[in-house]
Amino acid sequence: MKKLLAMALAVCMTLSLAACGKKEESKGSSGTNPSASTSKDEKNDGKKVELKWGSVHPETQVVTQMMMRAIEEINANAEGIHITGYPNGALGGSADLVEGVQEGLVDIITEGPAQFASWIPKAAQVEAPYLWQSVEHMQKALNGGYKDTLNQLFDEIDVRILGTFYYGTRQLTTNKPVHTLADLNGMKIRVPQSDLYIKMVDAWGASANPMNINDLYMALSTGNVDGQENPLTTFESYKFYEVVKNVILTDHIICPNMIFINGDVWNNMSEHDQKVVQEAIDKAVQWQDEQILAAEQTLAKDLEQYGVEIITPDDTIREATIPAIQPSIEDWDYIQSLA
């Protein structure tokens, strides 16, 4: 967190001296996000509260374009807030952002819900392998009633879910062909920093290596890991095809990502600005989903131009995964009923 705090302070230097001075004074007195200490009445004085939206994703990725579309619309219509986006891990890695949005060092973040598992165990289960029957099933639940269920839990750590978007269906990509579960034995697979993903890879008979995605290209190129798993849109945008040439169509996770906001920041917005933020995010999420679904229609075949081999494995990977994961997912049967 020292790294994140240093970055946050550096960002403050780019703001106006008046705004920076106001934020630093508030942080020093309360230890919370300065925007959270500003009352709704004070926001009517014509000065907009500066908010930071952090993400680990690079500028080239659709999820970053989604973030910037939402920010543009919010800044055009909000009365009391102004948001600046910081993609590409500019405010820290996933762990930094997740802690930061709780502590008020970052106002809004784009992250996988499983990153909050240490505080909200149920958050991890929505990224469970083979949990969702379809993208529609996932979106119906996580932008509907199950979102309300999760927000009751997130309220306990002063965080709110603003929306869930389709990040893509996660596939395995490796430095050697994988046709069956036995081919994975002993391989080193990079995963996000999540116990759920580690348990999945353990069920494959492979070794899970959690690391920040921004370190992954080098790890793949040097052989420190033998493979990774991500949606093919991520595989392409990070150019992992330059260092691993086998795409294994495991379809193991229909993956949600979420937009989170610090609870105090949300509660201190005017009703007008809350509506502006929510409507902009809803539209941006819909756009994101359309882009990813369209890209996935042809992306596997398009990757062949880079010398990538597309492999459809047998069912042994799925058959080994579900029994290892399902017992730890408390709401598995209830979530199936939401399809």
Side-chain angles (χ1 to χ4, degrees), residues 96-207:
D96 298 321
L97 295 177
V98 165
E99 292 185 25
V101 77
Q102 296 176 66
E103 297 176 8
L105 294 172
V106 185
D107 303 293
I108 307 170
I109 66 169
T110 309
E111 261 303 335
Q115 297 292 334
F116 286 89
S118 295
W119 300 273
I120 310 293
K122 277 193 177 183
Q125 69 181 12
V126 301
E127 291 188 53
Y130 303 110
L131 173 69
W132 302 109
Q133 299 176 25
S134 65
V135 176
E136 292 76 18
H137 177 203
M138 182 267 289
Q139 287 290 45
K140 179 181 176 182
L142 295 183
N143 282 320
Y146 204 68
K147 173 186 173 183
D148 297 334
T149 298
L150 290 176
N151 262 334
Q152 290 177 10
L153 301 175
F154 273 92
D155 185 61
E156 297 175 6
I157 60 169
D158 199 26
V159 175
R160 179 183 178 88
I161 302 166
L162 290 177
T164 299
F165 59 90
Y166 175 51
Y167 187 60
T169 297
R170 298 180 84 96
Q171 314 287 0
L172 179 64
T173 56
T174 57
N175 59 10
K176 71 174 187 179
V178 173
H179 296 274
T180 187
L181 180 71
D183 295 331
L184 284 166
N185 188 46
M187 291 184 70
K188 297 173 291 185
I189 307 298
R190 178 271 173 182
V191 293
Q193 296 169 335
S194 163
D195 290 342
L196 184 68
Y197 284 77
I198 294 171
K199 184 178 293 187
M200 174 185 71
V201 172
D202 287 346
W204 296 349
S207 174

Side-chain angles (χ1 to χ4, degrees), residues 55-67 167 213 230-238 257 287-288 292:
S55 167
V56 299
H57 304 290
E59 291 86 346
T60 55
Q61 206 165 359
V62 174
V63 62
T64 301
Q65 298 168 32
M66 178 272 295
M67 177 179 79
Y167 187 60
I213 195 169
N230 257 306
L232 294 185
T233 50
T234 302
F235 179 74
E236 181 187 44
S237 65
Y238 280 87
N257 259 213
W287 178 86
Q288 157 88 19
I292 297 299

